């Protein structure tokens, strides 16, 4: 079982409009509603790849009930979310069909009490006993300590469970000290963490801060990985137009699935890039275009770079 942690789950709402104009009234052509939050998106992709996955984190209020109802529709997925008094947030994505751009609106999430945080940690420790890997993903809701991820990473390491961290801001700066086996920032998050906008230098710096491996998302340019075994770049054969929301989460799912299958790093990167690229063809995060994915598996280029890992 792969465990994904989403402390700030969400009900994702996606609107499609013919053309988005600031200050104007719009007629929505399509609405989709799905369970969300980065770790939930990762879990949905993992189940589509055939893996058994458990999701944990927090859920509450009306949106939390809708989210959990939607999770029951996902095969091979077990819901271990911890109930809270607050209301699960909503995220709204507005897709501009003409421009191909997506505007994202993210609510902050419910305030988590000390008792709710303690209850989650007990659930998390119990789930680690049967986990083959754990992904800790996304923002921290109000009330959760800023160093939460560092503590959760240490707990997983003590249980012998491989870890992946995908977050940003202060949660990333504090979390990397927990020594995740894999750190998966995008270029902007990596620059914020290290102060360097040069990906090769920044990934090495992030490793020195505690990460075992750093896999940086470079948008349409693919992935850069700095691992104990070496450095690789993985590049998609083409740039696909569509909705990029959730592409990074699909990359995480690719890395995790290949990790538990004991694949070598080049294979892990091919899968991650193929999934993230195929995700832009899907209307919502947590889904991907399977036909495009299978075609991309043979088109992704992985090159090994010289230099110290």
């Amino acid at each position: 079982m792969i465990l994904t942690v989403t402390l700030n789950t969400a009900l994702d709402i996606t609107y499609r409009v013919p053309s988005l104009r600031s200050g104007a009234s719009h007629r929505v052509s399509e609405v989709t509603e799905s369970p969300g939050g980065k770790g939930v998106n990762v879990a949905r992709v993992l189940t589509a790849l055939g893996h058994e996955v458990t999701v944990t984190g927090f859920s509450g209020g009306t949106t939390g009930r809708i989210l959990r109802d939607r999770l029951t529709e996902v095969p091979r997925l077990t819901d271990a979310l911890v109930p809270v008094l607050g209301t699960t947030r909503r995220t709204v994505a507005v897709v501009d069909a003409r421009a191909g751009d997506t505007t994202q609106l993210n609510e902050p999430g419910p305030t988590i009490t000390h008792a709710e945080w303690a209850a989650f940690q007990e659930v998390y420790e119990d789930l680690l006993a049967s986990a083959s890997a754990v992904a800790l993903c996304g923002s921290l809701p109000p009330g959760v300590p800023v160093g939460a991820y560092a503590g959760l990473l240490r707990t997983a390491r003590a249980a012998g469970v491989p870890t992946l961290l995908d977050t940003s801001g202060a949660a990333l700066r504090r979390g990397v000290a927990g020594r995740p086996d894999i750190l998966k920032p995008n270029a902007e998050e990596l620059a914020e963490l290290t102060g360097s906008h040069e990906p090769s230098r920044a990934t090495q710096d992030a490793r020195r801060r505690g990460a075992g491996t750093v896999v940086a998302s470079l948008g349409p340019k693919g992935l850069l990985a700095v691992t104990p075994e070496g450095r690789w770049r993985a590049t998609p054969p083409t740039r696909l137009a569509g909705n990029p929301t959730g592409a990074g989460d699909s990359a995480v799912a690719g890395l995790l699935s290949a990790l538990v299958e004991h694949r070598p790093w080049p294979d892990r990167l091919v899968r991650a890039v193929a999934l993230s690229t195929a995700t832009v063809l899907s209307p919502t995060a947590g889904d991907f275009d399977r036909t495009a994915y299978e075609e991309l598996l043979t088109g992704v280029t992985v090159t090994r770079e010289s230099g110290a890992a």
Side-chain angles (χ1 to χ4, degrees):
M1 177 269 286
I2 300 174
L3 177 64
T4 70
V5 174
T6 313
L7 298 177
N8 212 4
T9 56
L11 184 65
D12 288 347
I13 302 167
T14 302
Y15 295 124
R16 293 186 68 87
V17 297
S19 177
L20 183 63
R21 303 182 308 281
S22 177
S25 177
H26 297 78
R27 187 174 297 278
V28 176
S29 60
E30 181 183 352
V31 181
T32 57
E33 193 176 76
S34 60
K38 292 181 72 64
V40 172
N41 295 337
V42 171
R44 291 170 59 207
V45 174
L46 284 168
T47 62
L49 295 173
H51 291 275
E52 299 290 331
V53 185
T54 296
V55 296
T56 190
F58 298 110
S59 175
T62 301
T63 51
R65 288 193 295 274
I66 296 171
L67 182 151
R68 300 186 83 163
D69 286 344
R70 293 299 175 87
L71 289 178
T72 63
E73 302 168 2
V74 182
R76 293 182 291 275
L77 188 146
T78 300
D79 172 1
L81 294 171
V82 175
V84 296
L85 291 175
T87 299
T88 295
R89 67 190 177 125
R90 295 162 297 181
T91 68
V92 178
V94 183
V95 179
D96 183 331
R98 185 182 67 179
D101 296 331
T102 301
T103 299
Q104 192 84 17
L105 303 173
N106 297 327
E107 296 179 357
T111 298
I112 305 302
T113 67
H114 292 297
E116 289 165 347
W117 175 236
F120 166 78
Q121 291 180 86
E122 290 185 10
V123 169
Y124 175 71
E125 289 187 29
D126 289 343
L127 291 171
L128 286 173
S130 55
S132 56
V134 57
L136 301 118
C137 304
S139 62
L140 301 177
V144 172
V146 69
Y149 282 136
L152 297 176
L153 287 164
R154 294 185 184 106
T155 301
R157 187 184 316 111
V161 179
T163 56
L164 184 151
L165 178 63
D166 182 11
T167 187
S168 60
L172 173 58
R173 291 193 298 273
R174 293 286 295 274
V176 71
R179 295 168 52 198
D181 293 294
I182 303 173
L183 184 69
K184 211 292 295 171
N186 61 32
E188 181 180 344
E189 293 160 351
L190 188 62
E192 183 181 3
L193 173 66
T194 65
S196 173
H197 291 272
E198 203 292 303
S200 293
R201 181 181 304 169
T203 48
Q204 293 186 68
D205 187 4
R207 280 201 72 212
R208 287 192 290 268
R209 292 168 186 259
T213 287
V214 179
V215 181
S217 293
L218 305 179
K221 296 181 180 179
L223 298 175
L224 171 63
V226 179
T227 81
E229 291 82 27
R231 299 161 49 91
W232 286 272
R233 282 186 186 264
T235 308
T238 184
R239 178 174 183 172
L240 300 179
N243 179 10
T245 306
D249 304 332
S250 291
V252 168
L255 293 171
L256 274 181
S257 62
L259 167 68
V260 300
E261 294 170 19
H262 307 291
R263 303 266 184 150
W265 268 108
D267 289 357
R268 299 184 197 183
L269 297 174
V270 166
R271 184 177 296 182
V273 170
L275 279 170
S276 62
T277 305
T279 295
V280 305
L281 297 178
S282 173
T284 59
D287 294 319
F288 61 95
D289 185 298
R290 185 168 290 276
T291 299
Y293 165 63
E294 292 177 355
E295 291 175 353
L296 285 160
L297 284 174
T298 59
V300 175
T301 302
V302 178
T303 56
R304 185 160 189 168
E305 298 190 337
S306 59

